[in-house]
Amino acid sequence: MAIKNTSATLDLLAEAASRPLPYVIHPLDDAPEQKLSGEGLGTMRLSLAARLALGALRAYILLMIVLVGLKAMSLAGWINLG
Amino acid sequence: MSIHETTVPASTLGMPPAPPGARIVASRWKRNLLLFLLVFGPGLIVMEADNDAGAVSTYTQAGAQYGTHLLWVLLLLLPITYFAQEMVARLGIATGEGHAAMIFRRFGRWWGIFSLFDLELVNFFTLVTEFAGIALATGALGVSAYLSVPIAAVALVVLVATGSYRRWERMTIALCLIDVAWLAFALAVHPHGGQALHDTIVPNLPPGGLSSSLVFLVIAIVGTTIAPWQLFFQQSCVADKRLRFADLRHARLDTFIGAVFTILVAGAMMLVGDLSYRHGLTFSDPAQMAKDLGPYAGPLVRYGVPLLFINACLLGTTAVSLASAWAFGEVRGWPHSLQKSVRAAPGFYGAYGACVALAAAIVLIPNAPLQLIIITVQVLAGIMLPVAVIFLQLLLNDRELLGDRWVNKRWNNLINWTIVGVLFVLSLVLAVQVIFPNLFGQ
């Protein structure tokens, strides 16, 4: 179909041209995005209470690993816990 | 941004064309659907891979011993598992880095090594249970473990070593979707629908009340539904897939769908176990249960359950091994992406292969104490889970790193600290329970 090259037609074309036409792209094909980087921030500032809590947590975990290990070895018959 | 705004016709107006690989989609809803499908994957995989050997054993045992009475526990676990995983997805998208890397960066080397040691220890033992499951299930189908375990190990290495994240993801999603068959099996055993619905919605105790084995099983259900490796896995997976800021809502939906699917499959496993309960059969393991149910449920359940058990073990193995390999690569500074070839990331694939090979080798040792290893894994995972969630919680409140947009909201923190508290108490009870087995009576 022939389109008349009138100003109205040109307006329509211009409008169509300026209308956003989004596209979808797989993340792996997309340009890399600037992420929030922790570089230069150093380690997190923790309050004394938080540091103590994490320390207690560390002790708890180590104790539990040892306890579970002993229990497992006892069940396997490698040691006798009495 | 994931949805880019451009103008047409690009050629005539001199506008930059859409980049290679982009697809122009005029319809808004089609664009959203397509974008979701592109983002979809990590959430489903991390959730469904958690329905691994230990999970199949635990859920079917729960059904076989207590019928449908513990279905409500699964419903309670749905929001817990979603909220925990949503946090790692958010953190991965915001920083583009894995969980182990973030802990090293923000908590220092000592805490980093500590977390990595915890993770690798539990993961390794979990892998042993996955291969033990493969040996058990193939044994029930008449195939020797000396044949099935090495074949499975090789297949698992081939699965990741293609040098394409997308190929790995598609194959793994296909394995996840095979689990839909559990829903069909649950229907095939003709459950008592009304009773099952009641037990799902109304928390209740089975006949006999609180006992040592019930407490153990409830905690095992919690421990098997949410595991420390999942936190590391999903963040690394999201980072490897390079999800963008705008992908967050789709990643959340992916995680939510994964959580719902996993809980539905877990419920289906309990319903299959429930048939065993209704016939008064003794439960020893899922493969044996399938054999016993053969006369009542037919060949579909008799042969289908061991096959799904194998699938669960394969899914669990690839996800747990990858969680270990990603974490190791992040901490060591090695290239660590499924997009890279084996030659380009030898340390990453070497760590993955070593995890798989060592775990498979242990299972093949005659008279290895597999049951003891399985119990130890459950206890260790239970103990370490709340610790892993605490680090996650601290990272998600790191305003210096994440700014206001990405940190947890107040309600997020309230829910998460409640979850940490509950998990802590349960992990403590679990540990005490194993050490003092008669604490709650027999």
Side-chain angles (χ1 to χ4, degrees), chain B residues 42-94:
Chain B
L44 177 77
I45 293 169
V46 73
M47 294 292 188
E48 197 48 33
D50 194 43
N51 274 340
D52 60 355
V56 176
S57 300
T58 307
Y59 298 138
T60 50
Q61 184 177 348
Q65 289 184 346
Y66 300 107
T68 54
H69 287 284
L70 296 181
L71 278 172
W72 60 274
V73 179
L74 293 177
L75 193 63
L76 278 184
L77 287 172
L78 175 61
I80 294 180
T81 188
Y82 169 74
F83 279 119
Q85 293 305 133
E86 185 274 339
M87 285 199 290
V88 279
R90 183 154 36 104
L91 195 57
I93 288 174

Side-chain angles (χ1 to χ4, degrees), chain A residues 10-31:
Chain A
L10 287 173
D11 284 348
L12 275 173
L13 279 173
E15 189 199 331
S18 61
R19 198 181 303 142
L21 186 63
Y23 57 84
V24 174
I25 185 167
H26 192 283
L28 288 168
D29 296 327
D30 204 357

Side-chain angles (χ1 to χ4, degrees), chain B residues 94-346:
Chain B
T95 63
E97 288 194 276
H99 201 56
M102 289 310 303
I103 291 176
F104 260 76
R105 196 183 294 284
R106 296 303 281 150
F107 292 96
R109 187 178 167 76
W110 171 236
W111 277 111
I113 290 171
F114 198 64
S115 299
L116 190 65
F117 171 76
D118 289 353
L119 176 76
E120 302 292 350
L121 183 76
V122 179
N123 279 6
F124 180 71
F125 285 124
T126 306
L127 285 174
V128 175
T129 67
E130 309 295 3
F131 279 107
I134 290 172
L136 209 62
T138 52
L141 295 170
V143 180
S144 163
Y146 291 99
L147 184 67
S148 61
V149 169
I151 289 175
V154 171
L156 284 160
V157 172
V158 171
L159 176 70
V160 301
T162 63
S164 164
Y165 173 90
R166 274 175 272 211
R167 205 170 294 135
W168 167 81
E169 190 184 72
R170 283 175 199 145
M171 287 191 284
T172 311
I173 287 175
L175 291 179
C176 290
L177 295 180
I178 289 174
D179 279 350
V180 170
W182 278 109
L183 306 178
F185 289 6
L187 290 176
V189 298
H190 304 295
H192 295 159
Q195 182 68 38
L197 188 64
H198 171 268
D199 291 343
T200 304
I201 297 167
V202 183
N204 64 94
L205 287 178
L210 199 66
S211 68
S212 178
S213 57
L214 176 64
V215 171
F216 189 86
L217 206 55
V218 169
I219 297 170
I221 291 171
V222 176
T224 200
T225 310
I226 315 161
W229 67 262
Q230 290 181 275
L231 305 178
F232 287 81
F233 175 89
Q234 192 173 5
Q235 189 171 338
S236 296
C237 194
V238 159
D240 203 357
K241 194 171 181 179
R242 296 200 341 222
L243 291 191
R244 302 144 298 192
F245 295 149
D247 294 330
L248 179 61
R249 67 193 177 103
H250 290 123
R252 281 175 168 151
L253 184 58
D254 172 30
T255 307
F256 182 71
I257 288 172
V260 171
F261 182 58
T262 299
I263 295 296
L264 281 174
V265 169
M269 290 177 194
M270 266 195 205
L271 290 178
V272 173
D274 174 52
L275 184 64
S276 213
Y277 175 74
R278 282 184 271 146
H279 289 284
L281 303 173
T282 306
F283 180 90
S284 58
D285 61 69
Q288 183 61 43
M289 180 196 76
K291 257 186 192 175
D292 297 341
L293 288 179
Y296 306 102
L300 182 72
V301 171
R302 162 72 182 85
Y303 297 104
V305 167
L307 287 172
L308 288 184
F309 192 24
I310 294 168
N311 185 52
C313 299
L314 292 176
L315 260 175
T317 309
T318 190
V320 174
S321 305
L322 271 176
S324 292
W326 266 319
F328 218 71
E330 287 161 16
V331 168
R332 300 288 300 179
W334 295 336
H336 53 274
S337 171
L338 288 169
Q339 279 291 92
K340 293 189 184 297
S341 67
V342 175
R343 193 169 293 205

